[in-house]
Amino acid sequence: SPEILFWIGCAGSYDARAQRVSRAMATILTEVGIDFAILGNEESCTGDPARRAGNEFLFQMSALQNIQTLDSYGVKKIVTACPHCFNTLKNEYPALGGNYEVIHHTQLLQELINSGRLKLKEGGTFKGKKITYHDSCYLGRVNGVFEAPRKILEALDADLVEMKRCRSKGLCCGAGGSQMWKEDEPGDKRINVARSEEALETGASIVAVNCPFCMTMMSDGIKAKDKQDDVMVYDLAELIIQQNAD
C-alpha cells in the first residue's frame, strides 16, 4: 500500500509533451521521499471525454473498471497532473462507489513547499522572470483551486503577471468538454488563439499551465502567432525541476 497513487492519465502516458510532466512529477515525488505507485497497464481512461461527449454507457464502463482496480489495491489517496482526471475521480466516481482522497499535483506541490519537504533554490532560474498563469477550467472554476498554483510561482520568486481574464473569470483553452476530439465549429477565431493572445499581451516569457490539454492548446496558439521562440509553455512541476536543476 503506497502512501499515494500517482494517476498518470492518458495524456501523461501517451502524449510526448505530457510525458515530460509525468517524469517531472515522478522525479519530485522520488526526491522528497514520497512512497508512490502507478497502475501502469492497469490504468485506463477515467471516462471523462466519453461523458462530456454524451456517451454515458462508455463512461460508466471505464469508471467501474478503474474503481475495481483501485479497490483491489486498497488505494486511499490519488494525485494526478490532469484536472480532467482530478475532477472525474474526485467528484464523479463516488456516485459509482469509488471513494478516494483525490488531489491535483499543484495542491500536493504547494503542500510540500509549505511543509518544507520540497525546498526550492534561492534566486533560481525564475527569479524576477515574468510568468503568466492560465487557470484550467476543471481546476479553477469547477473545483475552486486558484491559489495553490500561484503560491508555487510565488515560491519560485517569479513575477506573476495575470491575464485580463483569470481566476473565476478565466477563459477556457478550447479543449475541455470533449472539444479536444472534435472539429472546430464555425467562428471568427479559435479559442486557443484568443487565449494565447491574452497571454502574449502580458509580456510574459513563460505561460504556466497545470493541464495537458491546456499545454497543447496554449502551445499551438502561441505557435499560430509565431511566438514559439520567445514564449515557452511549461507545467508547474517542470518549473520546479528547472529551478532546482544544477
Side-chain angles (χ1 to χ4, degrees):
S1 294
E3 187 182 339
I4 209 161
L5 176 85
F6 179 21
W7 185 276
I8 311 290
C10 302
S13 299
Y14 299 113
D15 178 79
R17 181 66 189 85
Q19 283 173 351
R20 279 151 57 187
V21 179
S22 303
R23 285 196 196 98
M25 198 57 201
T27 302
I28 293 167
L29 292 172
T30 304
E31 282 178 4
V32 299
I34 286 181
D35 176 27
F36 75 100
I38 64 169
L39 288 175
N41 291 335
E42 288 184 86
E43 180 188 297
S44 72
C45 180
T46 59
D48 165 80
R51 178 170 258 192
R52 303 294 162 249
N55 192 336
E56 184 64 19
F57 175 68
L58 182 56
F59 163 72
Q60 292 202 17
M61 270 177 52
S62 303
L64 290 168
Q65 183 186 326
N66 284 324
I67 289 166
Q68 198 174 1
T69 305
L70 290 166
D71 288 351
S72 73
Y73 288 112
V75 170
K76 300 281 186 287
K77 188 172 183 179
I78 301 172
V79 65
T80 179
C82 173
H84 297 262
C85 298
F86 166 69
N87 179 67
T88 306
L89 291 165
K90 179 175 185 280
N91 299 323
E92 301 185 348
Y93 273 29
L96 296 168
N99 295 290
Y100 318 101
E101 182 191 343
V102 187
I103 57 170
H104 187 258
H105 76 310
T106 54
Q107 294 174 302
L108 180 64
L109 293 171
Q110 190 212 350
E111 272 175 34
L112 292 171
I113 292 167
N114 286 355
S115 64
R117 286 179 77 180
L118 176 57
K119 291 178 174 61
L120 297 174
K121 268 189 190 169
E122 292 291 319
T125 319
F126 303 107
K127 188 173 174 64
K129 244 194 180 171
K130 273 191 176 182
I131 297 181
T132 191
Y133 169 68
H134 167 71
D135 286 286
S136 64
C137 299
Y138 279 93
L139 189 66
R141 285 176 297 164
V142 176
N143 283 288
V145 180
F146 298 111
E147 296 314 314
R150 289 174 169 84
K151 293 283 184 204
I152 294 169
L153 292 173
E154 208 176 281
L156 292 169
D157 284 339
D159 175 15
L160 174 62
V161 280
E162 296 280 13
M163 288 182 246
K164 59 186 178 186
R165 285 188 273 197
C166 62
R167 287 190 165 87
S168 59
K169 300 281 194 295
L171 178 68
C172 177
C173 71
S178 245
Q179 295 294 314
M180 190 72 151
W181 320 112
K182 57 193 277 298
E183 294 303 318
D184 293 337
E185 288 163 31
D188 300 328
K189 189 185 286 183
R190 287 182 158 194
I191 294 177
N192 66 319
V193 172
R195 188 55 167 164
S196 298
E197 285 172 355
E198 290 183 5
L200 294 170
E201 276 168 24
T202 64
S205 57
I206 291 172
V207 180
V209 297
N210 62 53
C211 168
F213 286 11
C214 297
M215 171 82 76
T216 298
M217 300 304 270
M218 296 303 286
S219 300
D220 287 355
I222 285 164
K223 213 173 279 175
K225 303 302 287 184
D226 213 18
K227 292 286 184 187
Q228 67 271 25
D229 296 332
D230 310 319
V231 179
M232 305 305 291
V233 183
Y234 289 116
D235 184 90
L236 288 153
E238 294 178 301
L239 295 179
I240 289 172
I241 291 284
Q242 286 181 45
Q243 177 87 344
N244 281 0
D246 293 324

